[in-house]
Structure formats: C-alpha cells, structure tokens
Amino acid sequence: MKKGILIIFLLSLSVLAMAQQMENLRNFDKRNFHFGFALGYNSSDFYLDRNVLEDFERDSLLVLDVERKPGFNLGIVSSLDISPTFKIRFLPTLSFQERNLAYTYAVKNDSTVQWNKKLESTFLDFPLVMKFRTERVKNFAAYCLVGGRFGLDMASNKDVQNTTASLKDQVVKIAKSDYGFEVGGGIDLFLEYFKFGVELKLSTGVKNVLIQENTQFSTPIDKLRTKMWTLSFTFEG
C-alpha cells in the first residue's frame, strides 16, 4: 500500500494549494445527512497461525505462505453528521477479494513439491465507523476513522465436498460470515458540486474463518483471520 500512501500525500499537497481558492459547498456541513458512493482498490491477506504436527507425512510441510492479491470495492456512503467534525458513517460495500495459500512440502530425494490453493471471496460488508474530521481550511479537511464491520461471503466455499476429492481439487474452506474492526484516515476535498475523498483503511478480522476438516491443506493451519488494506475514493453530495 506504499503507492496508496504516496497518492494521498500528493493529493494533500495539491489540495493545500487549492485551499487559497474560493470556498466551495459552504453549506455542506449544515446538513445532517449526506449520501454518495465509494470506489476502492483492495489488497487482501490473512493472519495465519500454524499448527505443530507430529505426523511426519503431514509435518513435511516446509513453507506455508499467504500471497496477497488485488481486488476492488463498490460501496454506498451514508453519513450522519453529529457536528462538522464528528460523523457516523454506514457504508454497505460489495468487496471482491482474492488470496493464495502456497504450500511447499519436502519429498524423497531432498526435492520439494508445491501446491497453491486460491481463495476467492465476494463479501457483502456492513461497516459502521466513526469519523473524526478537522475543521475545514477553505476546501480541505483531514480525518481519521475507527469502527467495526460485519460481512457475508456470497461466494463462500463452505459447501464444497472435500472427502472424495483429489488433492488437486481439494479446497481450504472459509466460513461464510466474518466480523472485525477498521481503522484508517484520509482527506476531504470540497469541489464545486460534490465532496471528493481519498481514504486508506485497514480491516482486521477477529473471527477464525477456517473450517477445519483435517485435510492435507487445512490440518497445518490453526487459525485464519482476514486482513485487508483498502484505498478508496468517495463522492458525496
């Protein structure tokens, strides 16, 4: 997410330069409700805890890595303005995520074999966050946010049959529901007709979403918790 941080920094510089211009949307903060939409780029990951195994055939696992993959978000922004500097936001979001579990096993003759298990999710997320914003400086304001989220994986693989499947076709099952917390920050730019925001956010799951079936690919894992960085662009009227 270094590119995301760089984008926010460059936009901040450009916004500060615009702060000397005429103030747009002067009555924006006088309204109690605001609505809009959000477009985002995400990078999904897992917090992974390994099991310690005694069975050599299963403990021949040398490396188990989580590989991050890019995805994107589409969301609706609903904001309740308690004051110009404190807001409560509800952002129902459709989030397309992908990760890859990379296994490296030791086999005979000091060689190795690798398996990759792709985990794709389409989450319907319901984040509720508190937004703490600075006072406006002409057309610019900065903010931080904290809150929680509940999500349902509409593409959950929990019903896949692993018992009779080959190693190639076996999957690592993930629970349909998830919940956790979110922290982040960003900037608001008041344009002539709408407010444009740039936001960087970390979503961390609390629930262990692994469905343990004691297969070759699930047994080495004790816990899986979701993790996602999101760079969002919001448009509010």
Side-chain angles (χ1 to χ4, degrees):
M1 299 305 293
K2 291 182 179 179
K3 292 183 178 179
I5 296 173
L6 179 60
I7 291 174
I8 291 178
F9 176 72
L10 294 176
L11 283 173
S12 298
L13 293 179
S14 63
V15 169
L16 287 173
M18 296 178 63
Q20 303 302 319
Q21 299 179 5
M22 182 180 297
E23 185 175 299
N24 297 320
L25 304 176
R26 294 184 178 183
N27 296 322
F28 190 90
D29 289 328
K30 295 180 180 180
R31 293 163 50 191
N32 292 327
F33 294 95
H34 294 97
F35 300 95
F37 65 95
L39 303 175
Y41 163 89
N42 70 59
S43 178
S44 302
D45 199 351
F46 282 118
Y47 294 104
L48 186 151
D49 294 337
R50 285 277 302 271
N51 267 331
V52 179
L53 306 176
E54 296 181 357
D55 182 350
F56 173 76
E57 291 186 359
R58 290 188 170 183
D59 203 26
S60 61
L61 179 63
L62 300 177
V63 180
L64 174 52
D65 287 329
V66 181
E67 298 176 349
R68 293 180 295 176
K69 299 292 183 178
F72 65 95
N73 295 4
L74 299 171
I76 299 173
V77 180
S78 303
S79 178
L80 170 62
D81 293 7
I82 307 300
S83 73
T85 59
F86 176 61
K87 308 168 190 299
I88 297 177
R89 297 203 304 176
F90 179 56
L91 297 92
T93 301
L94 192 61
S95 175
F96 299 90
Q97 306 173 22
E98 182 180 339
R99 318 86 160 175
N100 187 62
L101 295 177
Y103 300 77
T104 302
Y105 287 92
V107 294
K108 296 179 180 179
N109 302 321
D110 295 327
S111 59
T112 61
V113 62
Q114 293 185 335
W115 292 93
N116 291 291
K117 294 299 175 181
K118 183 185 298 185
L119 296 174
E120 296 179 320
S121 298
T122 303
F123 267 99
L124 184 57
D125 280 327
F126 301 96
L128 183 65
V129 299
M130 294 180 292
K131 177 179 177 179
F132 303 91
R133 204 197 74 190
T134 64
E135 296 286 353
R136 286 183 57 169
V137 179
K138 292 292 185 178
N139 296 317
F140 170 80
Y143 66 88
C144 64
L145 55 86
V146 61
R149 59 168 283 273
F150 173 79
L152 293 173
D153 186 357
M154 311 305 292
S156 172
N157 61 4
K158 69 181 185 65
D159 296 324
V160 172
Q161 179 57 257
N162 273 334
T163 306
T164 58
S166 64
L167 291 179
K168 179 181 178 181
D169 295 329
Q170 285 183 10
V171 301
V172 178
K173 292 188 180 182
I174 301 299
K176 188 177 182 66
S177 63
D178 186 32
Y179 54 87
F181 60 88
E182 300 188 335
V183 294
I187 58 173
D188 282 334
L189 173 59
F190 295 84
L191 303 180
E192 185 174 359
Y193 298 109
F194 62 90
K195 179 169 70 66
F196 174 67
V198 183
E199 177 179 295
L200 183 63
K201 179 174 63 177
L202 171 64
S203 300
T204 300
V206 174
K207 177 182 177 179
N208 177 17
V209 296
L210 173 69
I211 298 177
Q212 183 58 262
E213 290 193 314
N214 296 317
T215 65
Q216 177 173 322
F217 301 109
S218 67
T219 300
I221 305 173
D222 181 32
K223 295 179 181 178
L224 280 180
R225 294 185 298 116
T226 56
K227 175 183 179 182
M228 182 174 69
W229 285 97
T230 305
L231 176 64
S232 299
F233 302 95
T234 61
F235 305 81
E236 294 180 57

